[in-house]
Amino acid sequence: MTTAVIRALGALAHDAAHTPAPAECDCPPPVVLADRADGTVVRSGAVVAKAHAPGTDTAALEARLWLSARPALADVLLAPLPVPAQPPTAPVTAAQRPARPSPYLTELHGRPVTLWPYGEPVYPGDPDAAPWEEAASLLARLHRTAFPAPGLPVPPALPAPALPAPALPAPALPVMRGPAKAALAVDRMRAARPGDPSTGPVLAAWQRLPGWARDETPAPADRARFLCHGDLHLGQLVRHPAPRGRWLLIDVDDAGIGDATWDLARPAAWYAAGLLPPDVWFRFLGAYRAAGGPALPADGDPWPELDVAARALTVQTAALALAKSAAEGRDPDEVEQMMIGSCARIATLPPELATGNAS
């Protein structure tokens, strides 16, 4: 990410945090919270500005922003902030709204940009305090939420008084991007390690997944019928208002309609690989069921439903591990090797069929 874009994000977040702007300001400089290929996040005070990935489908992003702004999901998803009506002052240049206007989306340096209230993230130094049960309950509430028919006017979450946002008609919600991200991870591994035999177990496990889990065909209708987050991990939870507000899910870039088991698949894959302690997994699983999560039966063995998505997340994690380690000129570390080893075990199992519980 260029320095110009980071400065522009900081200025936008600062201006949004001070609407109307005071005559004098002694705010500390903006802070870069994340700077990756899939997005750059800069904080100024109580506001965070995010530049989404180049080439982002802005129509799909608008629909996801609309979803996160729904009052019905105010206790599940962090709501975006409306973008100030006027472009902020220098060094931000030519802030323009996209062709299809959204009160939550603008553009800086050719990148779609959104604003969010700051939330306190999960503290990585205390794994025993990780909010697994809270994450499971949030997912259950999200999965239980009915999505409205496109075109119906639905008011957004209440914006700041100085930044009014009109009610918008319900857009057609996009497909949850979980399988697409798994396919991108495998492509990235292939490009990073062409012909490398270390990719063999990962590719073999990938081929044993049904086509919908590889983003080659649509998911079966009986599975693709839930509102999904699409990329659940502990980095996707914050407390808002910071620092002791309720836990909420953030980052809706992959959200949409899909198979709700995908949102449970990463902790399931970690548990199966031996990375997530059994007591943590069962707490997560129990909290999801207690909250009425519809992706799994209320009791009994959850794996007939979880199996395909957990395998796919295992492959995705292993593929990214091989791609990143190649880019860094190193061998995969112990944790990464555990996920690659899981792929080797998956590769010995029979190929999944396109029908039945694991379809």
Side-chain angles (χ1 to χ4, degrees):
M1 175 65 68
T2 66
T3 302
V5 174
I6 290 176
R7 288 177 177 171
L9 290 172
L12 181 63
H14 177 270
D15 283 13
H18 295 288
T19 302
E24 295 184 3
C25 178
D26 57 356
C27 291
V31 177
V32 178
L33 301 181
D35 187 13
R36 302 184 302 268
D38 60 348
T40 298
V41 182
V42 178
R43 175 190 177 189
S44 179
V47 176
V48 170
K50 178 177 181 177
H52 298 259
T56 294
D57 181 338
T58 55
L61 178 57
E62 286 175 358
R64 292 175 170 120
L65 293 170
W66 173 90
L67 178 69
S68 61
R70 288 189 63 199
L73 290 170
D75 63 346
V76 177
L77 299 175
L78 184 69
L81 297 173
V83 176
Q86 297 298 321
T89 56
V92 179
T93 60
Q96 299 176 345
R97 294 187 182 276
R100 181 188 176 201
S102 166
Y104 306 111
L105 187 61
T106 189
E107 182 181 297
L108 293 173
H109 297 272
R111 301 278 293 273
V113 170
T114 52
L115 293 174
W116 304 85
Y118 174 74
E120 188 73 18
V122 175
Y123 177 56
D126 187 4
D128 291 337
W132 286 107
E133 292 97 326
E134 291 85 348
S137 297
L138 289 169
L139 289 175
R141 293 205 292 275
L142 179 66
H143 297 165
R144 293 200 322 260
T145 302
F147 42 95
L152 296 178
V154 179
L158 294 176
L163 300 173
L168 297 175
L173 293 175
V175 173
M176 181 267 294
R177 293 188 65 246
K181 291 191 72 172
L184 288 171
V186 172
D187 289 345
R188 180 176 168 185
M189 178 192 70
R190 285 182 170 128
R193 294 179 178 267
D196 190 328
S198 66
T199 66
V202 181
L203 293 174
W206 180 244
Q207 291 303 317
R208 280 162 173 74
L209 291 168
W212 69 265
R214 301 196 304 266
D215 198 39
E216 295 175 355
T217 61
D222 63 325
R223 299 184 72 91
R225 56 191 179 91
F226 299 102
L227 278 180
C228 303
H229 180 272
D231 188 28
L232 187 279
H233 54 80
L234 290 180
Q236 306 287 37
L237 287 101
V238 298
R239 285 190 181 274
H240 179 72
R244 293 186 173 84
R246 62 190 173 196
W247 288 106
L248 295 171
L249 294 169
I250 63 170
D251 190 358
V252 293
D253 288 41
D254 302 312
I257 308 302
D259 179 358
T261 62
W262 210 275
D263 285 343
L264 312 178
R266 184 174 273 111
W270 290 351
Y271 164 67
L275 294 175
L276 191 69
D279 66 305
V280 175
W281 164 247
F282 288 115
R283 280 165 34 207
F284 176 83
L285 181 65
Y288 182 81
R289 284 171 155 168
L296 302 175
D299 52 31
D301 184 4
W303 285 99
E305 296 299 327
L306 287 171
D307 180 65
V308 169
R311 293 191 195 192
L313 262 294
T314 301
V315 171
Q316 177 179 327
T317 305
L320 288 175
L322 285 168
K324 290 178 181 178
S325 60
E328 296 167 4
R330 60 174 177 83
D331 293 330
D333 61 29
E334 181 180 359
V335 171
E336 292 168 335
Q337 287 286 9
M338 291 178 72
M339 298 307 294
I340 297 167
S342 288
C343 287
R345 291 189 292 274
I346 291 171
T348 66
L349 299 174
E352 290 296 336
L353 302 178
T355 59
N357 284 339
S359 62

